[in-house]
Amino acid sequence: MAVQTPPRTTSSPPTTTAPQRPGPPWTEKWGGLFFVAPFGVLFAFFLLWPTLSGLWNSFFNTSLAGVQQEFLGLRNWQEMFGDPAVWASLRNTLVFTAMSTPPLVVIALVMALLANRQGLLGWFLRFAYFAPFVLPATVVTLIWVWIYQPGFGLVNGLLTAGGFAEIDWLNTENRAMLAVVITTVWWTVGFNFLLYLAALQGIPEQVYEAAAIDGASGRQQLFRITLPLLSRTTGLIVVLQLVASLKIFDQIYLMTDGGPNYATRPIIQYIYESGFTSYRIGYASAVSYMFFLVIVIVSIAQFRLFGGRKEADR
Amino acid sequence: MSSVTIPRTKPSGPVVPRFTFPQVALAVGAVLLALVWLAPLLWAVDTSLKPEPETTRTPITWLPEAPTFAAYQSVVDQGSILRWFLNSTIVACLVTVLTLGVSTLAAYGFSRTTFPGRRVLFGLLIAGILVPPQVLIVPLFQEMSSLRLVDTYWGIVLPQVVAPVMVFVLKKFFDGVSRDYEDAARVDGATRLRIVWSVMVPMSRPVLGAVAIFTFIGAWNNFLWPFIVTTDPSMMTIPVGLANVQGSYGLRYAQIMASAVLGGLPLLIVFALFQRQVVRGVGDAGIKG
């Protein structure tokens, strides 16, 4: 992922054997562990342990208090596969991902092409395109719920000013998800924009100069040089974006609370509700694990596709 | 580009930059898109400066007829937002400092030292990148309540310090730093801890800066985990506290927007100040929250 780490020194001859100072043998052998230990302890406590205890819980009937545990075997898992709410929320998550990923890639690319090599304007453009990304979810949703208000909201104000009919964005089943997608694109596209911008700035100017001498038009340069050279970045952005979109929760919970009529409830909200509203820790854990597997599968599939292309490039 | 024939003398008249039509069109398009992207923010500021009755008037007034800070005044007077600010500041600073410290040490350990089990541990770390924090909320909450860390700063902070991606990014950078500096320092008798502090840290300042900024923004903005682990309003961070605002203020939109502006402003300022580092950080590392 890290694109270039500039070697900061003149080419150093590879030290054949690390010149280890003959210290006490114990430090030489185990001393390195000292550096990894603080992170390792936190990792064990707050990542490894909950990951394992979540799996363990999924085989039990555990309440939030966690006192009386009844071994259920695979019953939580069986129930999950027959639970329509699981499938509906998983479907909402996938719909959101499918709707949000294309604009989040395409608009980011357009922004990067527009902002690249804009000299004086560059700072302003980078600020404007990226600024929403640094805002907390709550600030974003407070603003957008206000914008989507029927009657006096900005969007409906513009619609009525243009002679169109108003839309009750957040309370209409087939509009609510679109409203969330629009908000999400506005909020997060800046990150992908910066990835594209960094890639564009890595393309040497001479390539274009050479193409211009050969008489390539701006269009040809875009489609024959720029876009092909960006294909790797596009792969990376798609991978990161798919995984990020699958984890959707904050803005939906805050804007629609999963409604209307559960039409936007994503899988993480269902996990949250099973655990913290219905107090069914075991069941919530089973659903968490199923979702975790979905993410792992998507990541690995993407990684293999993307990784394979990387190998082919060389 | 084609400046072959033009001598490098100062032109006598005003400098007329020779922009081609496509360049102008692109710039205009870029600015228009930027305005569209800024519009929601401007609209929020605009609303926050209106007196309450004007916010819900139809047709919309584009600019406040008599701008007022009354909404800000009442938001601050209600008190909670200042407390949430304090909480967010404490949490984000703690997370950033601890993440930097712990991740730098671990990255150095993985990059430069050997010890039994190093490869297994590194494999575990990479696997940890795949675990989405969102699916850990239930077991983590259980763990926190048995450790009695619910509604405490440590309860909010500690899980956020575990950022395998950051260790990975730093390790990759350290791998590219020449070993010569280190060897020189070793010959001079520096301990390894000293080497991390006086060799690796100064050489990695840009990456460390990017990691710091992203960690800070991420910690300040994190919603789900603080939302789960805090129940006491006085322990909430800005994003969690603001989530309750809409309900508690009823339909007073100027106040809601004033809170939103206050909640978003510190980060916009941080970003404006450190834009260069942020831009470079994303380019170098591809850190996504």
Side-chain angles (χ1 to χ4, degrees):
Chain A
M1 265 192 287
V3 193
Q4 331 93 325
T5 40
R8 299 192 165 230
T9 54
T10 51
S11 58
S12 57
T15 38
T16 42
T17 48
Q20 307 273 334
R21 271 199 320 151
W26 188 87
T27 5
E28 279 313 319
K29 193 174 180 203
W30 293 95
L33 206 53
F34 166 81
F35 292 95
V36 179
F39 180 84
V41 169
L42 291 171
F43 184 90
F45 259 90
F46 301 114
L47 205 137
L48 197 58
W49 171 254
T51 307
L52 297 176
S53 82
L55 184 61
W56 175 259
N57 280 336
S58 73
F59 303 115
F60 288 86
N61 179 12
T62 315
S63 70
L64 199 61
V67 202
Q68 63 313 37
Q69 289 201 338
E70 178 201 351
F71 182 71
L72 291 181
L74 288 173
R75 293 230 302 274
N76 279 331
W77 291 77
Q78 278 171 344
E79 183 186 342
M80 175 177 79
F81 286 112
D83 180 354
V86 167
W87 298 109
S89 57
L90 194 58
R91 187 179 154 275
N92 290 337
T93 303
L94 295 175
V95 167
F96 171 81
T97 305
M99 282 172 77
S100 62
T101 302
L104 277 167
V105 175
V106 173
I107 295 175
L109 176 62
V110 170
M111 283 176 163
L113 290 171
L114 286 174
N116 192 30
R117 304 210 166 89
Q118 282 286 14
L120 286 173
L121 268 178
W123 188 91
F124 169 70
L125 296 177
R126 285 197 304 270
F127 182 83
Y129 297 159
F130 189 75
F133 186 81
V134 305
L135 298 175
T138 326
V139 168
V140 169
T141 54
L142 285 177
I143 293 175
W144 279 86
V145 167
W146 164 234
I147 284 176
Y148 287 132
Q149 278 301 321
F152 34 81
L154 180 63
V155 174
N156 284 321
L158 290 173
L159 284 177
T160 45
F164 296 97
E166 282 202 355
I167 295 170
D168 188 359
W169 292 89
L170 296 173
N171 296 312
T172 321
E173 276 188 37
N174 52 358
R175 293 276 183 230
M177 189 62 96
L178 179 64
V180 173
V181 168
I182 292 172
T183 303
T184 307
V185 170
W186 177 79
W187 181 24
T188 63
V189 75
F191 186 87
N192 297 344
F193 152 70
L194 284 190
L195 280 177
Y196 266 131
L197 192 66
L200 277 178
Q201 285 168 354
I203 301 177
E205 187 76 46
Q206 294 94 298
V207 178
Y208 294 102
E209 284 167 14
I213 290 170
D214 289 345
S217 68
R219 246 183 99 103
Q220 284 171 322
Q221 290 181 22
L222 176 64
F223 285 100
R224 298 273 171 80
I225 300 173
T226 312
L227 294 185
L229 284 176
L230 288 180
S231 63
R232 247 187 187 181
T233 309
T234 304
L236 173 67
I237 290 176
V238 171
V239 176
L240 292 174
Q241 190 55 57
L242 283 176
V243 173
S245 283
L246 286 173
K247 296 179 194 164
I248 172 85
F249 169 75
D250 300 3
Q251 57 273 50
I252 289 185
Y253 179 77
L254 292 164
M255 288 175 81
T256 67
D257 196 12
N261 193 24
Y262 302 120
T264 57
R265 180 169 68 181
I267 188 83
I268 291 181
Q269 189 178 339
Y270 189 61
I271 293 169
Y272 163 74
E273 287 170 0
S274 310
F276 296 99
T277 313
S278 316
Y279 303 115
R280 298 188 61 200
I281 293 283
Y283 188 63
S285 301
V287 182
S288 301
Y289 251 82
M290 182 273 294
F291 176 59
F292 181 19
L293 290 180
V294 170
I295 291 212
V296 169
I297 291 167
V298 171
S299 309
I300 290 177
Q302 291 294 327
F303 189 77
R304 293 194 70 167
L305 280 174
F306 179 56
R309 174 148 7 130
K310 210 182 205 170
E311 290 307 312
D313 273 4
R314 281 181 187 159
Chain B
M1 266 166 270
S2 57
S3 59
V4 197
T5 52
I6 301 164
R8 281 183 173 266
T9 51
K10 273 195 174 172
S12 49
V15 186
V16 183
R18 295 163 305 136
F19 288 129
T20 60
F21 171 74
Q23 277 175 321
V24 174
L26 279 180
V28 170
V31 171
L32 284 179
L33 189 59
L35 293 178
V36 170
W37 240 251
L38 287 176
L41 293 177
L42 299 175
W43 181 240
V45 175
D46 182 61
T47 305
S48 71
L49 295 174
K50 289 175 181 173
E52 283 303 340
E54 197 184 332
T55 57
T56 52
R57 199 189 296 161
T58 46
I60 291 171
T61 53
W62 295 107
L63 286 175
E65 281 159 8
T68 165
F69 283 102
Y72 290 89
Q73 186 70 51
S74 46
V75 165
V76 171
D77 284 348
Q78 280 154 6
S80 304
I81 200 163
L82 295 179
R83 174 74 201 201
W84 298 333
F85 249 102
L86 179 71
N87 291 343
S88 279
T89 310
I90 292 172
V91 165
C93 289
L94 275 177
V95 171
T96 308
V97 170
L98 289 175
T99 303
L100 276 183
V102 162
S103 307
T104 305
L105 286 180
Y108 180 82
F110 282 123
S111 174
R112 287 296 205 272
T113 70
T114 53
F115 51 88
R118 175 169 153 272
R119 298 184 126 218
V120 177
L121 284 184
F122 193 66
L124 212 57
L125 176 105
I126 299 293
I129 294 178
L130 277 182
V131 180
Q134 289 86 344
V135 305
L136 294 182
I137 49 171
V138 175
L140 253 184
F141 180 81
Q142 272 191 312
E143 192 183 342
M144 288 303 174
S145 68
S146 56
L147 292 171
R148 303 197 183 283
L149 288 178
V150 173
D151 277 326
T152 66
Y153 288 128
W154 292 116
I156 308 173
V157 166
L158 288 177
Q160 298 190 64
V161 173
V162 186
V165 191
M166 298 303 183
V167 180
F168 183 73
V169 166
L170 289 175
K171 189 221 174 230
K172 279 207 104 174
F173 189 85
F174 288 174
D175 285 348
V177 174
S178 162
R179 283 175 186 257
D180 293 354
Y181 297 97
E182 222 177 321
D183 295 340
R186 281 196 137 200
V187 169
D188 291 345
T191 62
R192 281 182 155 164
L193 211 53
R194 180 70 203 238
I195 290 172
V196 174
W197 182 249
S198 329
V199 178
M200 300 312 267
V201 167
M203 299 209 61
S204 326
R205 210 167 272 157
V207 199
L208 289 171
V211 168
I213 292 165
F214 275 92
T215 307
F216 188 89
I217 293 177
W220 185 287
N221 287 351
N222 194 348
F223 173 73
L224 184 57
W225 178 245
F227 170 71
I228 300 283
V229 83
T230 56
T231 52
D232 176 359
S234 73
M235 284 309 294
M236 290 175 176
T237 55
I238 283 261
V240 183
L242 285 186
N244 299 326
V245 153
Q246 208 160 7
S248 62
Y249 290 175
L251 295 178
R252 277 169 287 177
Y253 289 106
Q255 286 188 29
I256 295 174
M257 285 308 113
S259 331
V261 171
L262 288 177
L265 206 57
L267 290 170
L268 288 178
I269 293 172
V270 168
F271 171 51
L273 290 178
F274 295 107
Q275 202 199 52
R276 188 184 293 205
Q277 285 87 332
V278 173
V279 172
R280 201 162 45 189
V282 173
D284 282 356
I287 309 165
K288 184 144 191 167

